Amino acid sequence: MSTPSSPVAATPGSSSRFAGSQAYQARAQQVLPRGVSSSPRATQRPVPLAIARGEAAHVIDVDGNEYIDYSLGYGPLLLGHSPEPVLAAAERELRKGLRTGGITPLEAELGERIAKAMPACEMSAFVSSGTEAAQLALRLARAATGRLTVVKFRCHYHGWSDAIHVATDAANDGPSTGGQDPDALRHVVVLDWGDMAALEALDASGVAAVIMEAAAVNAGCFAPAPGYLARVREWTTRHGVALIFDEVITGFRLALGGAQGRFGVAPDLTVLGKALGGGLPVSAVAGRRALFEPIVRGTVSQRGTYNGFPPAIAGAVACLDYLGTHAATLYPRMEAYATTLAAHVRTVAARTGVAVAANQLGPCVQLFAGVSAVPTLRDLARVDKERTLTLTAALVEHGVAPLPRGMMYVSSAHTDADLARTLEALTAAIGRLA
Ligand SMILES: Cc1ncc(COP(=O)(O)O)c(C=O)c1O
């Protein structure tokens, strides 16, 4: 789901509390476009918060306001802002010298851990962002199959590269931003996720890959219809098409084994990022050994100065070790927390008559305003994005910081006290919409 790009307006009467963030914005806008380093950050209201520090599940802004954070750095901070094992591992590696652009033994250790958590991921190729990883996955699929067409699904997001940044909004099937080369998308076919008949109607002979989030969390927390993933798996196998699961959000979050573990369907290639590094910049394409043959043979080139940056790889190893050790308690607890949040939103909406909805999947909750339910991706067109921004702004005013577009990621660092405070804030924020 994309966010509206309207200019940020401060809520009247709230300026003194956010004076530091507002002053920072004014200064930053002189030298950074929209004052930020990634456009969605500029959509936060009442004002894009300038964050001074983060601790556990909390952030403190430059004005000294503290928030229970549910943006989790747009997802990576599954263990919160200050996970000791991740920080210690990254720090240890930093102290050995930066060694950027080199080979360190930790890379194979991380590849082994990924393969253990996700058995379909026999090999891993590391890069720094999910966008790069998705681009490399498409390149591998095209090289391995000798075909060009890529099937992607409406409202699914796979990063901002020209190769795949298309149809990320319910209302637009074209390029997702200005400045894109439309020719780069010539071989991308857009279908509705869940529409098996549309996939089966395609001439598969030119199709290199089908790429999807196996559970559409980025788009607003939608589970796949029962049996759908297995049918897509069967169709892709029958036609020699590479099935790519983009698990940048779902990987290590919906379960240690990701969406593929949770739903029991193995893709050919998996795109990983975010929670993999516990907050450090590391992403990967992982998958069946045969799909990596083009890199092994040297016909496909994997490039990147910062690939395998030692502190990030060490942090990822520590993160996966922690998740592996605590999986039995950590995942059910995060999920129960998220279930309570979503149930509370529905209860308050029913009691007050305010049109607000909450979707929940695993430790993720998506808030929507202007509607009472959003059961499918098609229903996203009915969501009032402006009102959703107003709802999240009200939450910020009450000390709770979701993503501006309404996503709330739960981490292992959120406590029962955080939950109680958040329920109160949700009641108050929904009341403000009445
Ligand atoms: C499903 C999905 N794929 C890919 C990406 C791109 O990852 P990155 O922002 O690290 O480039 C994102 C980012 O939000 C994502 O949610």
Side-chain angles (χ1 to χ4, degrees), residues 74 129-132 157-160 213 218 246 248-249 274 283:
Y74 281 73
S129 69
T131 297
E132 290 171 89
Y157 175 70
H158 306 294
W160 54 271
E213 268 197 293
N218 184 305
D246 179 343
V248 166
I249 290 182
K274 302 216 188 231
S283 294

Side-chain angles (χ1 to χ4, degrees), residues 78-132:
L78 187 61
L79 304 179
H81 284 266
S82 47
E84 196 41 48
V86 175
L87 295 181
E91 204 168 1
R92 236 179 358 254
E93 289 306 308
L94 274 172
R95 294 288 156 209
K96 294 179 190 166
L98 293 173
R99 295 160 298 152
T100 306
I103 300 167
T104 56
L106 285 165
E107 292 163 64
E109 277 191 38
L110 183 55
E112 287 157 8
R113 278 164 175 77
I114 291 172
K116 189 169 168 217
M118 297 180 183
C121 296
E122 296 169 331
M123 287 202 123
S124 291
F126 295 120
V127 288
S128 300
S129 69
T131 297
E132 290 171 89

Side-chain angles (χ1 to χ4, degrees), residues 10-25:
T11 303
S14 63
S15 54
S16 60
R17 203 179 139 198
F18 301 108
S21 284
Q22 280 169 329
Y24 173 72
Q25 265 305 299

Side-chain angles (χ1 to χ4, degrees), residues 126-403:
F126 295 120
V127 288
S128 300
S129 69
T131 297
E132 290 171 89
Q135 156 69 22
L136 180 58
L138 297 181
R139 186 174 287 178
L140 284 172
R142 284 176 167 142
T145 60
R147 304 172 185 174
L148 273 178
T149 303
V150 166
V151 176
K152 71 96 52 184
F153 295 97
R154 216 158 259 128
C155 297
H156 286 217
Y157 175 70
H158 306 294
W160 54 271
S161 79
D162 274 14
I164 197 69
H165 198 192
V166 64
T168 49
D169 192 292
N172 171 25
D173 262 4
S176 294
T177 86
Q180 274 183 273
D181 174 3
D183 280 352
L185 298 163
R186 194 146 46 100
H187 301 289
V188 178
V189 172
V190 177
L191 298 180
D192 277 330
W193 190 58
D195 186 350
M196 198 59 212
L199 188 63
E200 283 168 343
L202 283 183
D203 171 7
S205 62
V207 179
V210 171
I211 183 167
M212 67 160 86
E213 268 197 293
V217 175
N218 184 305
C221 294
F222 300 90
Y228 175 63
L229 298 180
R231 289 180 72 191
V232 176
R233 175 67 283 185
E234 192 278 322
W235 185 89
T236 48
T237 303
R238 180 152 38 94
H239 295 290
V241 173
L243 178 58
I244 305 172
F245 282 173
D246 179 343
E247 295 231 39
V248 166
I249 290 182
T250 55
F252 313 109
R253 187 187 310 274
L254 291 194
L256 185 61
Q260 57 197 268
R262 184 163 174 145
F263 296 106
V265 174
D268 298 299
L269 289 172
T270 301
V271 185
L272 296 168
K274 302 216 188 231
L276 169 64
L280 291 153
V282 52
S283 294
V285 186
R288 284 201 296 117
R289 194 173 300 282
L291 270 294
F292 291 84
E293 267 307 304
I295 297 182
V296 175
R297 279 200 310 274
T299 54
V300 164
S301 187
Q302 176 200 359
R303 317 283 287 236
T305 303
Y306 295 107
N307 295 357
F309 183 55
I313 298 286
V317 168
C319 178
L320 295 196
D321 282 350
Y322 186 90
L323 290 172
T325 307
H326 297 89
T329 50
L330 180 146
Y331 288 101
R333 196 188 160 277
M334 292 194 299
E335 186 149 349
Y337 189 119
T339 305
T340 305
L341 288 181
H344 183 76
V345 171
R346 293 180 200 123
T347 303
V348 176
R351 195 175 63 223
T352 57
V354 176
V356 172
N359 283 1
Q360 176 258 330
L361 193 56
C364 317
V365 175
Q366 170 71 47
L367 307 176
F368 300 105
V371 283
S372 52
V374 187
T376 71
L377 287 171
R378 279 175 205 265
D379 298 299
L380 286 171
R382 296 187 296 108
V383 171
D384 187 333
K385 291 180 181 174
E386 190 58 33
R387 228 165 140 66
T388 305
L389 285 173
T390 304
L391 174 64
T392 56
L395 283 168
V396 168
E397 302 254 16
H398 285 90
V400 167
L403 283 184

